[in-house]
Each structure stands twice: as structure tokens, then as C-alpha cells.
Amino acid sequence: MFEISLFEDINISSKESDKKLISKLGNKRVSSNKGNTIKDKIGLLQREVDNHLAFLYDVTEECRDNNRFISFVNNFIKQDKGTIDTETLGVDYSKDKIFGFSMFAEGDKSIYVPVLHKGYVTGQLLDNQIDKSIITEQFERIRDSNVKLIYHNGKFDIHMIYHNFGVLLPCYWDTMIASRLLHSAEQDHSLKYQYAVKVKGDLNKSYDFKSLFDGIPPEMVPVKIMTPYAAGDTFETMELQQYQENEFKKYPGIYNIFRLEMRVLPMIIQMEEDGVCIDKDELLRLEDKYSTKLRLITNECYNELEKYKDKITRYRIQHPGKLDNPINLSSPAQLSIVI
């Protein structure tokens, strides 16, 4: 079990260290109904990671040495496939920073690479984090290799890596897009849910850690606690990809659409980076043309539905909240009821 500490040299289990923490933070409390002090919050995080992610301990590793990172990439680029996932301080790729990232390929553990982690008490950057120049060099090696890169919501990770390290990586497989094609009726396409249900066969919703991070800036979560949580994502992404690959064999037509999506993805990323030219006059002409068509078709639909007014009214009474009045023609759920 990992020692619960904020720094290498601070053991928050001691009363003396706890007093120092409270003193330095001005008696700051963390919002949580499962513990109010910082010690409680970090302790809860550790216990929950121990309880729910212990199966990942043997396959994950924190990477805080430049040479270890280079040796990892040496193996990574020799493999057929590899996964990458970023941990960020926001979702605006034009300005937000990556504070850590994870990578996995066969032949090695899934590693978590801290980049901008800070100590909870001092707020200062921790020592022994991988140099940005080293990260850029290694991402360039990955970009120029033949390894097939797999992500979950890859467009976001690719943008973030490009803006933080200046390297535009390719994408071979996006497990989130694949999930939306294979399981379009499902509402939750998050990695942890899809992995828990599809790969592990757990029909219950996957454990949600997000609430546990409330009140703690993510870059200040101790690296040893973040490692199985973050590095586990790339390990799980690889296994989810393997599951999806087998599923697509049952549906070759859907797989063809997926491969088309993957071919279009780099173009979309480049368009989002560079911007696109728009003919405003033509856009307004098309808007007027198709808005008129939409109004005519909408009126036709409502005129047709008027024929079934009594049945629709009875259904609304028997199933309150299922059908809007008027019916929302943009809702697949409502249209399926009517049809």
C-alpha cells in the first residue's frame, strides 16, 4: 500500500505534520461529506484507490526519471499499438496545461508521467518530473514511428499535446467514437463505464472518482495516488480497443464507417487548428433555403400527427412526461414513441 503523503518527506499520518498542514493552509477545509480536513480528503482518496483500483497496481508505474521515460518510448515505438491519455487543468486546449499524461504498450507497464504536479502545502512544483524538452523529443519519435496510436476522445488529447509540446500526433483508433457507433443507444460512452461494462462484464455503473477530487486541485493530488487512476486509463483503453476490434468483426458495415471517421479525424483537427474560410453570402443563402424547407416539412409532420390527436392525448395521460406538447420532432425518443 502506498504511503499517504503530500511530499516525499512529509507523512501526514503524524499529528505533528497534520498541525503543520492546518497552520500553513490557514485551517482550510475541503468540501466533502466524507471528511473535512485535507488529511481526511487525501486519506479517502488513497483508501478508495486501494479498494477499487488495486487490480491496476501491478500494471501501472509512476515515471519520474528522464532515462526511464526514454527507455519506455524505446519499447513503445517497437510495438504495433500504443495508447496515450492526458490529464489537464481545463478543457481549453489553446490555453490550459497538461499536468501529467499516461502511456501504455505491450512489453511494459502503463506509466503515468507527472509534468506540472505541485506540493499541496507549498504550492511549488515537485522535483523529479520529466523535462518538457525530453517529452517533446520523445513525442516526435512516436509521431515518426509506425506505432498505431489509440485514444479515448483522441481529438482532445491530440490538441492538448500539440499546444503543450508542439507535436501533432496521429490517431489510429478512438475508443469513444467506436463506442458511439457500436452502442449508439447507450448514454454513457466514458472510458471507465465502457471498460467496466464491456470488458470486465460489470453491469453496474463504474465507480466514480470525480467527486473525491472535489476541493483538491488535480495537479496537487500526490503522484502515487494519481498513478493507478490515470495510468489505469491507458491500460483500460488498450483492452477496450481489443474488445471493440472483435465486436466490429460482427458488423463490417459499421466498421467501414468507423474507419472513415478515423480518416476524417486528422482533417477535423487541422481545421480546428487552422480555421476555415466561409463564404458568408452563400451561407446566408443556404440558411434561408433550408430553413424554409424545414418549416414546410415540420408543418407537414404536425398536420399528419393531428390525425392521431386522440391516441397521443391518451398516451400523454398514461405516460406523463414522455411526450412534449407539441411533440419535439428533434427527439429520437419521442419520435420512436409516435412511430
Side-chain angles (χ1 to χ4, degrees), residues 77-325:
I77 61 178
K78 292 177 182 177
Q79 306 307 314
D80 179 52
K81 296 181 292 187
T83 56
I84 298 176
D85 182 56
T86 60
E87 304 296 333
T88 68
L89 299 178
V91 295
D92 186 341
Y93 57 78
S94 66
K95 65 178 182 180
D96 288 322
K97 299 296 183 182
I98 293 173
F99 68 87
F101 62 89
S102 303
M103 300 174 63
F104 174 68
E106 292 295 332
D108 208 329
K109 292 186 176 183
S110 181
I111 62 168
Y112 176 65
V113 181
V115 179
L116 294 176
H117 270 263
K118 297 178 179 179
Y120 207 113
V121 175
T122 66
Q124 301 299 309
L125 288 174
L126 297 179
D127 295 330
N128 302 322
Q129 300 189 77
I130 306 302
D131 295 339
K132 182 176 179 179
S133 61
I134 297 292
I135 295 172
T136 297
E137 290 173 2
Q138 299 311 306
F139 275 145
E140 287 174 346
R141 293 179 64 203
I142 292 169
R143 177 198 61 198
D144 298 336
S145 71
N146 293 319
V147 61
K148 298 173 182 175
L149 297 181
I150 300 165
Y151 313 81
H152 192 85
N153 190 15
K155 189 158 68 74
F156 175 78
D157 293 312
I158 292 169
H159 277 306
M160 290 299 303
I161 291 171
Y162 179 65
H163 281 269
N164 279 258
F165 304 112
V167 182
L168 194 62
L169 295 175
C171 177
Y172 169 72
W173 194 290
D174 188 320
T175 53
M176 188 179 76
I177 294 176
S179 172
R180 291 183 180 278
L181 288 170
L182 285 168
H183 314 291
S184 58
E186 294 185 3
Q187 297 298 313
D188 193 339
H189 297 280
S190 67
L191 171 63
K192 293 193 180 298
Y193 175 85
Q194 289 295 317
Y195 176 78
V197 174
K198 301 301 187 302
V199 178
K200 295 186 70 178
D202 184 356
L203 299 181
N204 296 318
K205 184 175 173 62
S206 61
Y207 187 82
D208 180 15
F209 282 88
K210 291 182 179 179
S211 61
L212 298 177
F213 289 92
D214 289 345
I216 302 179
E219 76 275 21
M220 292 184 177
V221 173
V223 175
K224 286 187 176 181
I225 293 179
M226 183 63 75
T227 294
Y229 174 81
D233 283 355
T234 43
F235 176 81
E236 292 173 1
T237 299
M238 182 69 80
E239 293 208 335
L240 179 60
Q241 189 274 334
Q242 292 167 352
Y243 158 82
Q244 291 173 343
E245 197 167 26
N246 288 328
E247 284 297 293
F248 273 131
K249 291 176 182 178
K250 305 174 187 176
Y251 311 104
I254 298 178
Y255 180 69
N256 289 337
I257 295 173
F258 173 69
R259 291 317 318 168
L260 179 61
E261 290 271 4
M262 292 299 96
R263 290 177 62 185
V264 170
L265 187 62
M267 304 175 199
I268 295 174
I269 292 172
Q270 200 66 59
M271 289 168 65
E272 291 177 343
E273 287 291 342
D274 298 340
V276 294
C277 294
I278 296 177
D279 185 331
K280 290 184 178 180
D281 292 336
E282 179 66 8
L283 183 64
L284 291 172
R285 187 189 69 79
L286 292 173
E287 180 184 25
D288 182 64
K289 174 183 176 180
Y290 288 105
S291 294
T292 300
K293 281 190 173 183
L294 180 60
R295 283 194 298 271
L296 292 173
I297 293 171
T298 300
N299 289 335
E300 287 180 21
C301 289
Y302 282 128
N303 289 336
E304 188 67 23
L305 288 172
E306 189 66 23
K307 300 175 183 179
Y308 307 95
K309 181 178 179 179
D310 293 341
K311 289 184 178 181
I312 292 172
T313 300
R314 285 198 298 271
Y315 186 90
R316 283 199 182 100
I317 295 172
Q318 296 169 356
H319 305 86
K322 293 290 186 180
L323 289 177
D324 292 341
N325 190 9

